[in-house]
Amino acid sequence: MFKKIIFCLFFVLNYSVFMAQNKKPSLDIGFNYGFGNEFKNADYTYTNHYYKLQLYYTINESNHLKCQILIQPEINFATHQLLNLYFVQPSDPDYLEKRAKYTALKDINEYVLNIGFIVRKPIFKTASVYVLGSVGPLITDTETERLSKGFAFSDVIALGFSIKINKITFDLRPNIRHVSNAGFQKSNAGFNTKNIEIGFWVPL
């Protein structure tokens, strides 16, 4: 689902690049803070907050559309707990031990590098709305019943609003995030969260 949505966003971006009028590329740097939690379910809890460095590179711009590449180093701090004991089946080796281990409240650190594409639409001189799709590698330091420790991927889709005041642009970005390892490791149920970010950026 997330992969299909991001593919569609990439297609829209490529189309927009061909249609947009070229202007001189620009580079901006910023910082975002975000927080969120899991979609309501009976299996687990997951709350998180995170910090992102934002590097925006404008590749095409016209009076009606702006296309950007976004590089986002991120550190994510999460708290997770398994609620549904039967997520770990009796057929699993040492299932009672695993149930006890996984139902304990855990702190998880995730280290992420997402690459994103933004298609931005000005709504008046100093403000714009945009759609963002991003994907990138992630390292998690804690094993859970839903995701093995180590390598995974972070996929994000977002809608956002930005407003510029003097040289500083302020940003509001609700988003949906999916984390999984694409089957590279045994546990791959992953986490789905709804989040909101606030931040700012300035030109370099």
Side-chain angles (χ1 to χ4, degrees):
M1 174 68 175
F2 281 86
K3 299 286 196 260
K4 290 180 179 178
I5 293 172
I6 290 175
F7 176 80
C8 291
L9 290 173
F10 287 174
F11 177 81
V12 170
L13 173 72
N14 288 330
Y15 176 79
S16 301
V17 168
F18 283 110
M19 295 300 293
Q21 175 183 338
N22 285 326
K23 289 188 177 180
K24 184 179 178 181
S26 64
L27 185 65
D28 304 280
I29 188 168
F31 180 81
N32 275 26
Y33 170 75
F35 57 92
N37 57 269
E38 80 287 350
F39 287 91
K40 187 175 181 181
N41 69 89
D43 289 333
Y44 69 94
T45 66
Y46 182 99
T47 59
N48 64 309
H49 67 279
Y50 52 91
Y51 303 90
K52 289 182 178 180
L53 181 66
Q54 306 274 98
L55 296 171
Y56 297 87
Y57 180 71
T58 299
I59 52 176
N60 279 86
E61 184 176 3
S62 71
N63 292 330
H64 306 289
L65 206 62
K66 185 175 184 178
C67 300
Q68 297 172 296
I69 295 173
L70 179 60
I71 301 174
Q72 303 172 292
E74 171 190 341
I75 183 168
N76 188 90
F77 303 98
T79 302
H80 164 67
Q81 186 173 25
L82 173 65
L83 300 178
N84 180 7
L85 290 175
Y86 296 98
F87 193 89
V88 180
Q89 296 294 318
S91 57
D92 292 341
D94 303 317
Y95 79 96
L96 291 176
E97 180 182 337
K98 288 181 178 179
R99 282 180 178 177
K101 175 183 176 181
Y102 292 146
T103 53
L105 187 65
K106 295 177 180 61
D107 292 324
I108 304 170
N109 296 327
E110 298 171 352
Y111 307 94
V112 192
L113 179 59
N114 267 34
I115 309 296
F117 294 98
I118 294 176
V119 178
R120 187 181 298 277
K121 172 70 174 175
I123 52 176
F124 51 91
K125 187 175 181 180
T126 59
S128 64
V129 294
Y130 63 88
V131 60
L132 161 68
S134 68
V135 63
L138 170 152
I139 299 294
T140 177
D141 68 356
T142 304
E143 179 185 357
T144 73
E145 80 289 350
R146 303 189 65 84
L147 195 65
S148 298
K149 181 179 177 179
F151 183 78
F153 293 97
S154 171
D155 305 327
V156 177
I157 55 173
L159 297 174
F161 172 78
S162 301
I163 185 166
K164 187 174 183 179
I165 301 174
N166 296 322
K167 291 187 177 182
I168 302 175
T169 302
F170 296 93
D171 192 42
L172 178 66
R173 184 185 300 166
N175 66 80
I176 297 172
R177 180 178 187 250
H178 171 71
V179 174
S180 64
N181 59 41
F184 286 109
Q185 300 194 68
K186 183 178 179 181
S187 298
N188 189 38
F191 297 102
N192 297 309
T193 57
K194 55 186 186 297
N195 309 282
I196 190 163
E197 295 178 30
I198 54 175
F200 66 93
W201 79 79
V202 295
L204 285 177

